[in-house]
Amino acid sequence: MKYLLLLALAASLAPAQEKIDADANSRIRREAKEHSQVMQTAHVITDRFGGRLTGSPSHEAAAKWAAARLTEWGLQNAKLEPWDFGHPGWSTERSTGFLLTPAKDTLTFEVLSWTPSTKGAVRAAAVQIVPPEKVTAEELKTYLATVKDKVKGRIVLVGKVKVVPVSFAAGPGKRSDDATLKRRFDNANPQEFQRPEPPKPEPGKLTARQIDEQVDAFLVASKALVRVNDAAREHGQIRAFNNRTFDVAKAVPTVVLRNEDYGRIDRLLADGDAVTLEFDIRNSVYAPGKTSYNVVAEIPGTDKADEVVILGGHLDSWHAATGATDNAIGSAVMMEAARILQALQLKPRRTIRVALWSGEEQGLLGSKAYVKQHYGTFENPKAEYAKLAAYLNCDTGTGRIRGASVFGPPEAGKVFREALAPFADLAVAGATASKTRREGGSDHTSFSVTGLPGVGLATDMIEYMTHTWHTNLDTYERLVPEDAVQSSTVVAALAWHLANRDQMVPRFSKETMPAPPPPPLPAPKS
C-alpha cells in the first residue's frame, strides 16, 4: 500500500502530458495529402502577382486576393489592416541594357528599387570609380572631388569587381543533418540560435551605408546617367535591394549587374578599351503605397474565442524575382493550414487567425506595427496582450518543417515538443524554448521582443542561403511540393492543438521575464 501511495504521489507531481487529438491529426494528414491547394496558392502569389515589394501595386493586389481567397474558404473577418509605411511605393515596369562596344551583348541585371527611370534609352561611355572604404567624411569628399569631371554624362561602375572563386563544395544547401537537428532540439541541452551582433562602426569613420549614400548624392550632383553595382555573386545570382533613403531624387538610375558582366566590363576598362553601354529603365513611384497592409482572417473560436493562435508569414518580397521561397511558400503554408481546418469543419476553442505581413523585408515593419497596435509590450501591455496563445511563423524557404523554437520558459518548449512528437515520421525533430528578446530574422521576433510567445518554425533550408534568398532565382520552380504539404500538415495540427489546450502556452513570469534588448546605437554622423 505504501508503495502504491508513493507512485500516486509521484504521478501527481510529474508534469502533465499534452493531450494529443489523434483523430484530428489523422484527418488533418488525410486532407493535406489528398486535397492540398498549397502549390496552387503559391503559384498564384508568385506567377500572377510577381515580386511583391512593400508599397507596390503588386503587393496590394496580392493582399486583396489573399483576403478574398481566405473568405472563399470560409474564414471570417478577412480584412486588410493598414499601417504607415512612411514612403511612397515603387515598382519597375521594364528595363533593358546592352554592351555596345568593343563588343555587342545583352547585359543581365536587376534595377535597384526606389531609384528613378532613365530619360528614355541612354547610351554613353562607361567609367569606373572606386570609393575608398573605412574613410572619414573629409577623406571621401577629397576622393570624389578627383573624379567629378570623369562621371558627368557617363554610365558609372562603382567599385572594383569582386572575385568570386569557383566553389569545390558538394553543392547548395539540401536537407538538414539529422544529428545536427537532434542536438539543436535536445531538451537536456538546447542550442538556442543567436544572431550575430552587427559590427560596430569605427569611431570617426563612415559606415558602408553612409559611403553609399554620399556616392549617390555625388553622382546626382555630377549628372551621371546611370550607376552600376556589382552583384558580387556566382552563377548569375543578383540581389537587388533598395536606395536606403527611399527618395528617387537622391539617386541616379541604378542597376545591380551580374558579376560575370561586371567583371567583363571591369577587365575591358583596365585594358584601356572604350566601353559603351546602353540602358533603358522605366520605373514608377506609387504614392498610395505610403499606406501598406497586413492581411488577417479568422476561424472563430468557441468557449475561448477571445484567446488567439496566430499563423503568420510575410507576403511581401523583393522585386528581382517572384519571391517564391521568400516568402510566398510560407504564406501559402499558413493559408493552407487554415484551409485544412476549415475544410474539416473543426471548431477550435480558441480563435485561429491567419496574418500575412508586409514590410518584413524592410525591417519587420508590418508585424511590428501590428504588435504595437494590438499588444504593446510586457512592460506596457494592452488589453489583448494576455490573450495571445502563440504566434507561429513560417519564413525560411521551401523546406519541410523540422522543429520549433518558442519564446518562453522550458515548460513552453515541452508543450511544443509533445504536440510535434506525433509527426516524427514526417521528419519533425522536436522543439525548444528560447529566452532571447532580440529582434531580427523574421516576424516571430516582433512578438518575442515584446515578451509574447513568438514561435519560429525551423525548416530544411533547401538552396536558400546559397541560391534563392533575395535573389533573381527565387521563383516557383525552386519550390518542393511534398515539403509544402508536410509543412501545412504540421502547422494545421499544431494550431489545432494550441487552440484546444485547457491552458495557454506557458509564459515567463514577472520575475523570470528576460530584460528587453537595449535600444540600437545611433548611427555615426556623416
Side-chain angles (χ1 to χ4, degrees), residues 56-349:
S56 69
S58 59
H59 171 265
E60 185 175 331
K64 290 177 178 177
W65 173 85
R69 179 53 56 92
L70 291 166
T71 300
E72 179 184 321
W73 287 340
L75 276 75
Q76 298 183 26
N77 305 319
K79 58 184 177 180
L80 272 59
E81 289 201 7
W83 60 275
D84 184 10
F85 182 37
H87 314 284
W90 179 96
S91 60
T92 185
E93 297 166 7
R94 56 174 291 186
S95 57
T96 56
F98 304 98
L99 171 65
L100 300 178
T101 66
K104 288 182 170 56
D105 209 343
T106 300
L107 301 174
T108 301
F109 64 92
E110 298 292 340
V111 177
L112 194 75
S113 60
W114 282 278
T115 56
S117 306
T118 57
K119 296 179 180 178
V122 295
R123 180 181 301 181
V127 298
Q128 189 172 25
I129 65 172
V130 185
E133 300 176 355
K134 298 181 180 179
V135 292
T136 65
E138 191 59 35
E139 289 168 339
L140 179 61
K141 182 179 179 181
T142 299
Y143 167 76
L144 294 176
T146 67
V147 295
K148 182 176 181 179
D149 295 336
K150 183 179 178 180
V151 303
K152 183 177 180 180
R154 298 289 188 264
I155 295 172
V156 184
L157 280 71
V158 177
K160 288 293 293 181
V161 66
K162 179 179 179 180
V163 177
V164 182
V166 174
S167 173
F168 293 93
K174 299 295 182 185
R175 294 293 182 199
S176 300
D177 176 74
D178 288 342
T180 301
L181 282 170
K182 186 177 180 180
R183 289 192 298 271
R184 178 176 176 182
F185 295 110
D186 180 3
N187 184 39
N189 186 30
Q191 298 183 357
E192 185 171 338
F193 174 73
Q194 296 283 356
R195 293 186 62 82
E197 292 281 354
K200 292 182 172 60
E202 295 185 29
K205 304 290 187 180
L206 297 176
T207 64
R209 175 174 175 174
Q210 289 173 318
I211 291 173
D212 191 60
E213 289 183 0
Q214 293 200 22
V215 169
D216 276 339
F218 163 76
L219 293 175
V220 171
S222 302
K223 302 186 185 306
L225 295 179
V226 177
R227 173 174 173 165
V228 181
N229 296 334
D230 179 12
R233 297 183 62 81
E234 64 181 357
H235 305 316
Q237 295 176 30
I238 301 171
R239 287 178 177 164
F241 298 120
N242 61 290
N243 160 24
R244 296 299 189 112
T245 69
F246 294 93
D247 185 346
V248 297
K250 294 184 178 179
V252 297
T254 302
V255 301
V256 183
L257 191 63
R258 70 172 178 172
N259 180 253
E260 295 83 353
D261 287 341
Y262 197 96
R264 180 183 187 183
I265 298 169
D266 176 276
R267 293 186 293 274
L268 290 170
L269 290 172
D271 289 343
D273 288 337
V275 178
T276 306
L277 306 176
E278 178 181 296
F279 286 96
D280 186 354
I281 302 167
R282 304 183 191 183
N283 305 326
S284 60
V285 172
Y286 183 60
K290 186 176 181 297
T291 298
S292 190
Y293 302 93
N294 298 318
V295 182
V296 295
E298 297 176 336
I299 300 174
T302 54
D303 62 308
K304 293 179 177 290
D306 61 333
E307 298 175 0
V308 182
V309 176
I310 302 181
L311 317 181
H314 69 91
L315 186 62
D316 69 301
S317 75
W318 290 109
H319 57 293
T322 60
T325 70
D326 188 19
N327 183 42
I329 195 61
S331 296
V333 162
M334 294 318 204
M335 291 176 68
E336 174 70 2
R339 185 203 67 78
I340 291 168
L341 298 176
Q342 188 67 31
L344 295 174
Q345 297 186 349
L346 293 173
K347 303 297 183 184
R349 299 178 69 189

Side-chain angles (χ1 to χ4, degrees), residues 30-47:
R30 187 165 55 250
E31 174 66 25
K33 183 177 181 179
E34 296 178 359
H35 304 109
S36 177
Q37 295 188 36
V38 67
M39 294 306 295
Q40 173 65 19
T41 299
H43 149 64
V44 174
I45 294 173
T46 56
D47 296 334

Side-chain angles (χ1 to χ4, degrees), residues 480-493:
V480 182
E482 57 270 27
D483 284 17
V485 171
Q486 183 265 21
S487 294
S488 305
T489 303
V490 172
V491 171

